[in-house]
Amino acid sequence: MPLRVGIIGTGAIGRDHSRRINNVLTGAHVSAVNDVNVEQAQKAVDDLDLKAEVFANGHELIQSNAVDAVLVTSWGPTHEEFVLSAIAAGKPVFCEKPLATTAEGCKRIVDAEIATGKRLVQVGFMRPYDSGYQLLKNALTIGEIGDPLMVHCAHRNPEVPESYVTPMAIQDTLIHELDVLRWLLDDDYVSAQVIYPRRTRFTHSKLADPQIVLLETKRGIRIDVEVFVNCKYGYDIQCSVVGELGVLNLPEPQSLLVRKEASLATNILTDWKQRFIKAYDVELQEFINGCLNSSITGPSAWDGYAASVASDACVEAQETGAIIPISMADKPSFYS
Amino acid sequence: MPLRVGIIGTGAIGRDHSRRINNVLTGAHVSAVNDVNVEQAQKAVDDLDLKAEVFANGHELIQSNAVDAVLVTSWGPTHEEFVLSAIAAGKPVFCEKPLATTAEGCKRIVDAEIATGKRLVQVGFMRPYDSGYQLLKNALTIGEIGDPLMVHCAHRNPEVPESYVTPMAIQDTLIHELDVLRWLLDDDYVSAQVIYPRRTRFTHSKLADPQIVLLETKRGIRIDVEVFVNCKYGYDIQCSVVGELGVLNLPEPQSLLVRKEASLATNILTDWKQRFIKAYDVELQEFINGCLNSSITGPSAWDGYAASVASDACVEAQETGAIIPISMADKPSFYS
Amino acid sequence: MPLRVGIIGTGAIGRDHSRRINNVLTGAHVSAVNDVNVEQAQKAVDDLDLKAEVFANGHELIQSNAVDAVLVTSWGPTHEEFVLSAIAAGKPVFCEKPLATTAEGCKRIVDAEIATGKRLVQVGFMRPYDSGYQLLKNALTIGEIGDPLMVHCAHRNPEVPESYVTPMAIQDTLIHELDVLRWLLDDDYVSAQVIYPRRTRFTHSKLADPQIVLLETKRGIRIDVEVFVNCKYGYDIQCSVVGELGVLNLPEPQSLLVRKEASLATNILTDWKQRFIKAYDVELQEFINGCLNSSITGPSAWDGYAASVASDACVEAQETGAIIPISMADKPSFYS
Amino acid sequence: MPLRVGIIGTGAIGRDHSRRINNVLTGAHVSAVNDVNVEQAQKAVDDLDLKAEVFANGHELIQSNAVDAVLVTSWGPTHEEFVLSAIAAGKPVFCEKPLATTAEGCKRIVDAEIATGKRLVQVGFMRPYDSGYQLLKNALTIGEIGDPLMVHCAHRNPEVPESYVTPMAIQDTLIHELDVLRWLLDDDYVSAQVIYPRRTRFTHSKLADPQIVLLETKRGIRIDVEVFVNCKYGYDIQCSVVGELGVLNLPEPQSLLVRKEASLATNILTDWKQRFIKAYDVELQEFINGCLNSSITGPSAWDGYAASVASDACVEAQETGAIIPISMADKPSFYS
């Protein structure tokens, strides 16, 4: 029996996941949708030709007998309540980032999930599902470069809208590195520092751009992440891990090698949606498989909590210029 | 309703396609299997946990009401009869290469299909579904390098078994270039020549290795393909298209860039099965979609015929050392 | 005592070598110049501030007591007589290509040199002095890829003047590959074939462009050289040697790697003079050193003769479309 | 008239420069040598077949009428006195790094040189003469990536001897980046911070390895330099400049691209002496030319002083863990 999925939030990402579940992935279909704007929910059903019931209320969708699993793709501040509601209903739930808008909110979800005695929550961190990061992870795991000692990263966007301000470099952008590097290194952060280089002329007064974030992990690994969101030239994600025996670089996205007009070149993407497009497929298929097998294995509520704690520390580091310690409760054995 | 697929031939590739249909792709499941060795068919059902009926006879499988579409993955010499049988039954059929063992056999299939008035046959040429070749095709289509004038290719395998002899360099190996270059250039071959370089010490007396195949197309494009099947170092497929304004190179497969032991390196694959693994998924999903939409669009029986004609000419060029003209009947409008 | 060099021919290359000898290299200076146009010779002396006597006659320059060694950089058809004159005078002579305009002329120089009992002639083939080709040669010599079996080359110019016609693709362009590949492989040619791909729209009626030249060597190595002199995108020299154990590629010229405007790129040169600019320094320094040590070691008159014989065969292959055998007298032990 | 050079210090680098002057460069020869060990000086003369007088005392060599210019390649602590002596004699002097062992010592040289009213001193910083760094500099100068905002660097050695301890990561290694980045950016440092990542197992107790040095410039450019001197895999110098419009990467050293043993690779050097070997030629030729033209233009005493001041601050940053401000006197107009 295919998994029947209810989707809360039919904006761009909710619609994209609907398409993915019905047309690309295997083992599931969308059986119910909800949106704070009911007309938009109905429009999604019509546009995508979904065989899905429209619910006026997200909690009712969660309770419905026609829903085996829940996707939360609504506005960020509503995530916590819907995830808690799904946990209360004993139903597996996939929640786009952020899991909650505060570390405390994330912790409430962690506690609720632990109380049920089984993993129900997967957070929408897709980078660990990217084939390039998986090659990095595998190489580290087999010890190809010995112990990792440093990681040099860059997260570059061609441009951001005027509404994008300094803390968003952490909360919207660095958050992906905070998640994927924890996973990659199997380690946690102990401190953060933010450095402000000379600003690009292409930024505005409320956005310090670029920024460099320095992180330290429990094992002493040092990470530097350049966050540069008006870099003009493309959407470019770089990750270089330096170990005792060598250096591993994240592969560039696939591109033709072109000789033309006095240049030997590959393309750099400009649209972030293209960069991890396959990773979205893989993460959601893993959630579906996890539901069908009663074994959710993707990024956990604890991962969402850990990223949130680190993100808060980075924002404090932005504001103070100081080296900010990062401390979390010990990881519950439930998540090991 | 999912497509119910019957599979004739449960060897390695038949089993792999079964796994793919049931676990990876969407819109289909395996409902019937047949093999010349019935025990092996049953074993495939058991091993892969298929919900599929075992047929002792391929033609009965084709006739079964439980089968909407047929996959022919049996021994090459049996392909023609099963494809013709599926056409006679009016059922879509996906046939692994070769479509038939002779050009005449391919032509019989073409004629039978045309007689039904609708496309039923897809040939298992997977290269056009490779994302790298698709980038090449798109770049040519938009005129990125103007008209193509030359194509330089290499098809290298690390090694082949003793049973692999000179003509197989064409029939088993070059056949993929013969197909994909027709598709890439939207052109047909008019002549073939084979050149024998100095032999590698790693070959045996019945295999001239390497070989260079020179092809000319109707539009005058010149193609050279190095076929080197004991190259030792890896499975390496290269394709470089030289046009009036520039040169396009097929991307290398994704790999970490590693600095280690005085070397800055990416990996080269050694196992051919890894090279086009995603292309197999895409080609078979396209067949499933084509069946569900009553619109088969993949490599056609005509493509199978054209590859077979060119292959025969190349073998003659191997044997004679001469420049062998290649001529085919005009392409039926049915396939345009 | 520095070597006193007399230069016959003060056109672009003669002036460039003058500058090189006086300002870049060590161990020599220009002491005499001659040109068919005496005023141009005097102008070169003035412009370059040479301390050099101007001779109205090249043979007198060769005889002068103020000249230890001769550079022949005059018009091609005059090369043979000046080289023979220098040999007759017992003076070392560096001659730009062609050594003579016919294979017979080259052979006369070979015979004259052998008669003197010592090497006096160095031909201006600079590719063997390029650091990239030297890396290739070293790697082949140490057996890094086992025996070479095939060589794939391209010689691409962005454009050529209207005066450049079909045979010049051999005589002016391929000639460099003919020389450097003999040296690289330590082998001689036994046959040549020329293939004409579809013409680029950027050529004219008297120039078949591109062309592909197929060469076979005594040891059975097969070489294909794409000659494409209106390729538009740059001056691009490629050489890939396929051996029993692997493939070696000539390095690209040094360039920054630039991420900009959605592209990850290195530059391709457009001016051929930049490509081998350092090789010119090294070849001429080697000639100077050879003169000072009485031991000329660079490309010999025999190499000039061999390139000329192969060039003639390639032109015949252009004209006939046939596979043309190439035969030379055995290499005199004098040149071993 | 060729420049007559006297060399103080006939250790490895002194001998290497002797060979370079006499055999590789143009316009100079070695006329005098001195070493604290006179026998070693005589041995250098014999081994290298120098036509040079051996002096028992460096100051006497400087005074000799047979010496037009001086090379100081003796033990570091003696540099200051010999450079001052050469300045006092009014003779141009090329001094290997360090110019002096303290910033104060460098400043004394600066003052002495200014007092003579003309440039006499060139410091042996060779990186600005590397063709790769020159490409970087040119690209920045023409504004190819707009204003530079950040520079990411790595300086990696395969290993160091036991005698190499923590401060030497600055004084012997980072010193080259401190010099070349000032030149590249045409900027000065205002602060330094040092971060200690997890140590490699291949270091010893007195060497923190790797280290990351963070520098800020007057214009606000942020630089991070990874110094990793037991990286095992090779001698690897990286420099990536991030500007408002793009990113420039220092080219990798020239290497064949090799396909072999399941790897597509270029070589990484392991011997540092190979990395900048051509830059040594260029810097010393520039010194010779400067002497002959009475116009010394290479790295100045002021550059030596500035590198020394920055180096001292970095060592303090190593010891304290703090962000250390860097302040220098204003640059004298003499050096502009």
Side-chain angles (χ1 to χ4, degrees):
Chain A
M1 279 291 296
L3 188 76
R4 299 168 306 166
V5 177
I7 295 188
I8 298 174
T10 56
I13 192 154
R15 294 170 72 112
D16 198 40
H17 280 326
S18 295
R19 174 196 60 77
R20 185 167 278 124
I21 290 169
N22 275 21
N23 302 345
V24 178
L25 307 179
T26 186
H29 68 90
V30 177
S31 63
V33 301
N34 157 258
D35 196 276
V36 63
N37 176 339
V38 177
E39 285 176 14
Q40 181 176 307
Q42 184 60 53
K43 189 165 188 314
V45 167
D46 296 343
D47 289 352
L48 297 167
D49 196 21
L50 304 177
K51 310 282 183 273
E53 185 176 354
V54 175
F55 285 82
N57 180 290
H59 297 285
E60 289 175 11
L61 175 148
I62 291 168
Q63 297 298 329
S64 165
N65 282 333
V67 168
D68 300 319
V70 180
L71 250 66
V72 178
T73 53
S74 50
W75 190 44
T78 67
H79 287 188
E80 182 183 346
E81 70 168 278
F82 289 127
V83 172
L84 288 171
S85 180
I87 292 172
K91 294 189 180 176
V93 55
F94 178 97
C95 180
E96 278 301 325
K97 75 169 176 76
L99 180 58
T101 55
T102 63
E104 293 71 26
C106 292
K107 191 59 168 46
R108 281 189 289 271
I109 290 171
V110 162
D111 292 341
E113 185 182 39
I114 292 178
T116 71
K118 90 182 264 209
R119 283 245 353 230
L120 291 169
V121 180
Q122 179 173 331
V123 183
F125 287 131
M126 77 296 184
R127 291 243 191 128
Y129 294 102
D130 174 65
S131 57
Y133 277 107
Q134 292 188 336
L135 288 174
L136 264 185
K137 176 80 170 176
N138 292 343
L140 288 173
T141 301
I142 64 172
E144 180 151 345
I145 57 165
D147 270 5
L149 306 174
M150 295 168 281
V151 188
H152 307 303
C153 302
H155 187 133
R156 301 186 188 127
N157 293 57
E159 58 190 3
V160 289
E162 282 288 310
S163 56
Y164 188 109
V165 292
T166 292
M168 295 170 73
I170 305 298
Q171 293 158 342
D172 277 30
T173 301
L174 185 78
I175 190 74
H176 289 291
E177 265 75 19
L178 290 173
D179 175 67
V180 79
L181 295 175
R182 277 185 74 246
W183 166 83
L184 185 67
L185 301 171
D186 195 19
D187 204 350
D188 273 304
Y189 307 113
V190 298
S191 78
Q193 180 185 358
V194 175
I195 286 174
Y196 294 110
R198 178 182 177 80
R199 289 185 181 207
T200 173
R201 80 184 108 140
F202 300 108
T203 190
H204 56 79
S205 62
K206 296 196 173 151
L207 173 59
D209 186 40
Q211 304 178 28
I212 297 172
V213 182
L214 304 173
L215 297 161
E216 185 179 9
T217 75
K218 278 189 183 166
R219 288 156 67 200
I221 300 167
R222 289 289 190 158
I223 299 163
D224 47 87
V225 185
E226 176 201 320
V227 179
F228 187 9
V229 297
N230 288 292
C231 83
K232 291 297 170 191
Y233 75 84
Y235 183 75
D236 196 1
I237 303 299
Q238 300 191 24
C239 183
S240 176
V241 184
V242 183
E244 294 176 312
L245 297 171
V247 181
L248 302 172
N249 273 37
L250 187 68
E252 301 287 336
Q254 186 185 47
S255 168
L256 295 177
L257 182 66
V258 182
R259 292 169 188 268
K260 192 178 169 188
E261 292 171 359
S263 173
L264 174 56
T266 54
N267 284 335
I268 294 177
L269 295 172
T270 51
D271 180 355
W272 64 267
K273 289 189 293 293
Q274 296 304 308
R275 178 62 181 88
F276 294 106
I277 195 165
K278 288 180 187 165
Y280 290 113
D281 291 351
V282 181
E283 74 165 355
L284 207 51
Q285 185 67 61
E286 176 153 323
F287 176 68
I288 291 167
N289 295 349
C291 293
L292 293 171
N293 302 329
S294 295
S295 170
I296 304 290
T297 55
S300 70
W302 182 259
D303 296 324
Y305 164 71
S308 181
V309 169
S311 172
D312 288 352
C314 290
V315 172
E316 187 179 346
Q318 279 184 327
E319 291 165 351
T320 61
I323 299 172
I324 303 297
I326 302 176
S327 66
M328 295 193 299
D330 287 344
K331 186 174 178 175
S333 58
F334 179 84
Y335 291 105
S336 299
Chain B
M1 278 288 296
L3 186 77
R4 298 167 309 165
V5 177
I7 295 186
I8 298 175
T10 56
I13 192 154
R15 294 170 73 113
D16 198 40
H17 279 327
S18 295
R19 174 196 61 75
R20 187 168 279 123
I21 290 168
N22 275 20
N23 303 344
V24 178
L25 306 179
T26 186
H29 68 90
V30 177
S31 62
V33 301
N34 158 259
D35 197 276
V36 64
N37 177 340
V38 177
E39 286 177 14
Q40 181 177 307
Q42 184 60 54
K43 189 164 188 311
V45 167
D46 297 343
D47 290 352
L48 298 167
D49 196 22
L50 305 177
K51 310 282 183 273
E53 184 176 355
V54 175
F55 284 80
N57 181 292
H59 298 285
E60 289 175 11
L61 176 148
I62 290 168
Q63 298 297 330
S64 166
N65 284 332
V67 168
D68 300 320
V70 180
L71 251 67
V72 178
T73 55
S74 51
W75 189 45
T78 67
H79 287 187
E80 183 183 346
E81 71 167 278
F82 290 128
V83 172
L84 288 172
S85 180
I87 292 172
K91 295 189 179 178
V93 54
F94 177 98
C95 180
E96 278 300 326
K97 75 171 174 75
L99 178 58
T101 55
T102 63
E104 292 71 26
C106 293
K107 191 60 168 41
R108 281 189 288 271
I109 290 170
V110 162
D111 292 341
E113 187 181 37
I114 291 177
T116 69
K118 90 183 264 208
R119 280 232 15 217
L120 291 170
V121 180
Q122 179 172 329
V123 183
F125 288 131
M126 75 297 184
R127 291 245 190 126
Y129 295 102
D130 174 66
S131 57
Y133 277 107
Q134 293 188 334
L135 288 173
L136 265 185
K137 176 80 170 174
N138 292 343
L140 287 175
T141 301
I142 64 172
E144 179 150 347
I145 57 166
D147 270 5
L149 306 175
M150 295 169 281
V151 188
H152 307 303
C153 303
H155 187 133
R156 301 186 188 127
N157 293 56
E159 58 190 4
V160 288
E162 282 288 310
S163 55
Y164 187 110
V165 293
T166 293
M168 295 170 73
I170 306 298
Q171 293 158 342
D172 277 30
T173 301
L174 186 77
I175 190 73
H176 290 291
E177 266 75 19
L178 290 174
D179 175 66
V180 79
L181 295 175
R182 277 184 76 245
W183 166 84
L184 184 66
L185 300 171
D186 194 18
D187 204 350
D188 271 304
Y189 307 114
V190 298
S191 78
Q193 180 185 359
V194 175
I195 286 174
Y196 294 110
R198 178 182 177 82
R199 289 184 181 209
T200 174
R201 82 184 104 142
F202 299 109
T203 191
H204 56 80
S205 61
K206 297 195 175 155
L207 173 58
D209 187 41
Q211 304 176 29
I212 297 173
V213 182
L214 305 173
L215 297 161
E216 186 180 7
T217 75
K218 278 189 183 166
R219 288 157 68 200
I221 300 168
R222 288 290 190 158
I223 299 163
D224 46 89
V225 185
E226 175 200 321
V227 179
F228 188 9
V229 296
N230 288 291
C231 83
K232 290 298 169 190
Y233 75 84
Y235 183 76
D236 196 1
I237 303 299
Q238 300 192 24
C239 183
S240 176
V241 184
V242 183
E244 295 176 311
L245 297 171
V247 182
L248 302 172
N249 272 36
L250 187 68
E252 301 286 336
Q254 186 185 49
S255 169
L256 295 177
L257 183 67
V258 183
R259 292 171 188 267
K260 192 179 169 186
E261 292 171 357
S263 174
L264 174 55
T266 54
N267 284 335
I268 294 176
L269 295 172
T270 52
D271 181 355
W272 62 269
K273 289 188 291 294
Q274 297 303 308
R275 178 61 182 85
F276 294 106
I277 196 164
K278 288 178 187 166
Y280 289 113
D281 291 352
V282 182
E283 72 163 357
L284 207 49
Q285 185 69 59
E286 175 154 324
F287 176 68
I288 292 168
N289 296 350
C291 293
L292 294 171
N293 302 329
S294 295
S295 170
I296 304 289
T297 55
S300 69
W302 183 258
D303 296 324
Y305 164 70
S308 181
V309 169
S311 172
D312 288 352
C314 290
V315 171
E316 188 181 344
Q318 281 185 325
E319 292 166 351
T320 62
I323 300 172
I324 303 297
I326 302 177
S327 66
M328 294 195 298
D330 286 344
K331 187 172 177 175
S333 58
F334 179 85
Y335 291 105
S336 299
Chain C
M1 280 288 296
L3 187 76
R4 299 167 306 164
V5 177
I7 297 187
I8 299 174
T10 56
I13 192 153
R15 294 170 72 113
D16 199 39
H17 280 326
S18 294
R19 175 196 59 77
R20 187 167 279 122
I21 290 169
N22 275 21
N23 303 343
V24 180
L25 307 180
T26 186
H29 68 89
V30 177
S31 63
V33 300
N34 157 259
D35 198 275
V36 63
N37 177 340
V38 177
E39 285 177 16
Q40 181 176 307
Q42 184 60 52
K43 188 166 188 314
V45 167
D46 296 343
D47 289 353
L48 297 166
D49 197 22
L50 305 177
K51 311 282 183 272
E53 184 177 354
V54 175
F55 284 80
N57 180 291
H59 298 286
E60 289 175 11
L61 177 148
I62 291 168
Q63 298 298 329
S64 167
N65 283 333
V67 168
D68 301 319
V70 180
L71 251 67
V72 178
T73 55
S74 50
W75 190 43
T78 68
H79 287 188
E80 183 183 345
E81 70 168 278
F82 290 126
V83 172
L84 287 172
S85 181
I87 291 172
K91 295 190 179 177
V93 55
F94 178 97
C95 180
E96 278 300 326
K97 73 167 176 74
L99 179 57
T101 54
T102 63
E104 292 70 28
C106 294
K107 191 61 168 40
R108 281 191 288 270
I109 290 171
V110 161
D111 293 341
E113 187 181 37
I114 291 177
T116 71
K118 93 183 262 209
R119 280 227 23 213
L120 290 170
V121 181
Q122 179 172 329
V123 183
F125 288 132
M126 76 295 185
R127 290 245 190 126
Y129 295 103
D130 174 66
S131 58
Y133 277 107
Q134 292 189 335
L135 289 173
L136 265 184
K137 176 81 171 174
N138 292 344
L140 287 173
T141 301
I142 65 172
E144 179 151 346
I145 57 166
D147 271 3
L149 307 174
M150 295 169 281
V151 188
H152 306 305
C153 303
H155 187 133
R156 301 187 187 126
N157 294 57
E159 58 190 4
V160 288
E162 282 288 309
S163 56
Y164 187 110
V165 292
T166 293
M168 295 170 73
I170 305 299
Q171 292 158 342
D172 277 30
T173 302
L174 186 77
I175 191 73
H176 289 292
E177 265 75 19
L178 289 174
D179 174 67
V180 79
L181 296 175
R182 277 185 75 244
W183 165 83
L184 185 66
L185 301 170
D186 195 18
D187 204 349
D188 271 303
Y189 307 114
V190 298
S191 78
Q193 180 185 0
V194 175
I195 285 173
Y196 295 110
R198 178 182 177 80
R199 289 184 181 207
T200 174
R201 83 184 102 141
F202 299 110
T203 190
H204 56 82
S205 61
K206 298 197 175 153
L207 173 59
D209 187 41
Q211 304 176 30
I212 298 173
V213 181
L214 305 173
L215 298 161
E216 184 178 9
T217 75
K218 279 190 182 164
R219 288 155 69 199
I221 300 168
R222 288 289 190 160
I223 299 163
D224 46 88
V225 185
E226 175 201 322
V227 179
F228 188 8
V229 296
N230 288 291
C231 82
K232 290 297 170 192
Y233 75 84
Y235 183 75
D236 196 2
I237 303 299
Q238 299 192 23
C239 183
S240 175
V241 183
V242 183
E244 294 176 314
L245 297 171
V247 182
L248 302 172
N249 273 37
L250 186 69
E252 301 286 338
Q254 186 185 47
S255 169
L256 295 178
L257 182 67
V258 182
R259 293 170 186 268
K260 191 178 170 187
E261 291 172 358
S263 174
L264 174 55
T266 54
N267 284 335
I268 293 177
L269 294 173
T270 52
D271 181 355
W272 63 268
K273 289 188 293 290
Q274 298 302 308
R275 178 62 181 86
F276 294 105
I277 196 165
K278 288 179 186 164
Y280 290 112
D281 291 351
V282 181
E283 73 164 356
L284 207 50
Q285 184 69 61
E286 177 154 322
F287 176 68
I288 292 168
N289 295 350
C291 293
L292 293 171
N293 302 329
S294 295
S295 169
I296 304 288
T297 55
S300 68
W302 183 258
D303 295 325
Y305 164 71
S308 181
V309 170
S311 173
D312 288 351
C314 290
V315 172
E316 187 180 347
Q318 280 185 326
E319 292 165 352
T320 62
I323 300 172
I324 303 298
I326 301 177
S327 65
M328 294 194 298
D330 286 344
K331 186 173 177 174
S333 59
F334 179 85
Y335 292 105
S336 299
Chain D
M1 280 289 296
L3 188 76
R4 298 168 306 163
V5 177
I7 297 187
I8 299 175
T10 56
I13 192 153
R15 294 170 72 112
D16 199 39
H17 279 327
S18 295
R19 174 195 61 75
R20 185 167 279 124
I21 290 169
N22 275 20
N23 303 344
V24 179
L25 307 180
T26 186
H29 68 90
V30 177
S31 62
V33 300
N34 157 259
D35 197 276
V36 62
N37 177 338
V38 177
E39 286 177 14
Q40 181 177 308
Q42 183 61 53
K43 189 165 187 316
V45 168
D46 297 343
D47 289 353
L48 298 168
D49 196 22
L50 305 177
K51 311 282 181 274
E53 184 178 353
V54 176
F55 284 82
N57 180 291
H59 297 286
E60 290 175 10
L61 176 148
I62 291 168
Q63 298 298 330
S64 166
N65 283 333
V67 168
D68 300 319
V70 180
L71 251 68
V72 179
T73 55
S74 51
W75 190 44
T78 67
H79 288 187
E80 183 183 347
E81 69 168 279
F82 289 127
V83 173
L84 288 172
S85 180
I87 291 171
K91 294 189 180 179
V93 55
F94 178 96
C95 180
E96 277 301 322
K97 75 171 175 75
L99 178 59
T101 55
T102 63
E104 292 72 26
C106 293
K107 191 60 168 42
R108 280 189 289 270
I109 290 170
V110 162
D111 292 342
E113 187 181 36
I114 292 177
T116 70
K118 89 183 266 209
R119 281 234 10 221
L120 291 171
V121 180
Q122 179 173 328
V123 184
F125 288 131
M126 76 296 185
R127 291 244 191 127
Y129 295 102
D130 174 66
S131 58
Y133 277 107
Q134 291 188 337
L135 289 173
L136 265 184
K137 176 81 171 175
N138 291 344
L140 288 173
T141 300
I142 64 172
E144 179 150 345
I145 57 165
D147 270 5
L149 307 174
M150 295 170 281
V151 188
H152 307 303
C153 303
H155 188 133
R156 299 184 188 129
N157 293 56
E159 59 190 3
V160 288
E162 282 289 307
S163 56
Y164 187 109
V165 293
T166 292
M168 294 170 73
I170 304 300
Q171 293 158 342
D172 276 30
T173 302
L174 186 77
I175 190 74
H176 289 292
E177 265 75 19
L178 290 174
D179 174 67
V180 79
L181 295 174
R182 276 185 75 247
W183 165 82
L184 184 66
L185 302 170
D186 195 18
D187 204 349
D188 271 304
Y189 307 113
V190 298
S191 78
Q193 180 185 0
V194 176
I195 286 174
Y196 294 110
R198 176 182 178 81
R199 288 184 180 208
T200 173
R201 81 185 106 140
F202 299 110
T203 190
H204 57 81
S205 61
K206 296 198 174 150
L207 173 59
D209 186 41
Q211 305 177 27
I212 298 173
V213 182
L214 305 173
L215 297 161
E216 185 179 10
T217 75
K218 278 190 182 165
R219 288 157 67 200
I221 300 168
R222 289 289 191 159
I223 299 163
D224 46 88
V225 186
E226 175 200 322
V227 179
F228 187 9
V229 295
N230 288 291
C231 82
K232 290 299 170 192
Y233 76 83
Y235 182 76
D236 197 1
I237 303 300
Q238 299 191 24
C239 182
S240 175
V241 183
V242 184
E244 294 177 313
L245 296 172
V247 181
L248 302 172
N249 273 37
L250 187 68
E252 300 287 337
Q254 185 186 48
S255 168
L256 295 177
L257 182 67
V258 183
R259 294 170 186 268
K260 191 178 170 188
E261 292 172 357
S263 175
L264 175 55
T266 54
N267 283 335
I268 294 177
L269 295 172
T270 52
D271 181 354
W272 64 268
K273 287 188 293 293
Q274 297 304 308
R275 179 61 180 86
F276 293 106
I277 195 165
K278 288 178 188 165
Y280 290 113
D281 291 350
V282 182
E283 73 165 354
L284 207 50
Q285 184 68 61
E286 176 153 322
F287 175 68
I288 292 167
N289 295 350
C291 293
L292 293 171
N293 302 329
S294 294
S295 169
I296 305 288
T297 55
S300 69
W302 182 259
D303 296 324
Y305 164 71
S308 181
V309 169
S311 172
D312 288 352
C314 290
V315 172
E316 187 180 346
Q318 279 185 327
E319 291 165 353
T320 61
I323 299 171
I324 303 297
I326 302 177
S327 65
M328 295 194 298
D330 286 345
K331 187 173 176 174
S333 58
F334 178 84
Y335 291 104
S336 299

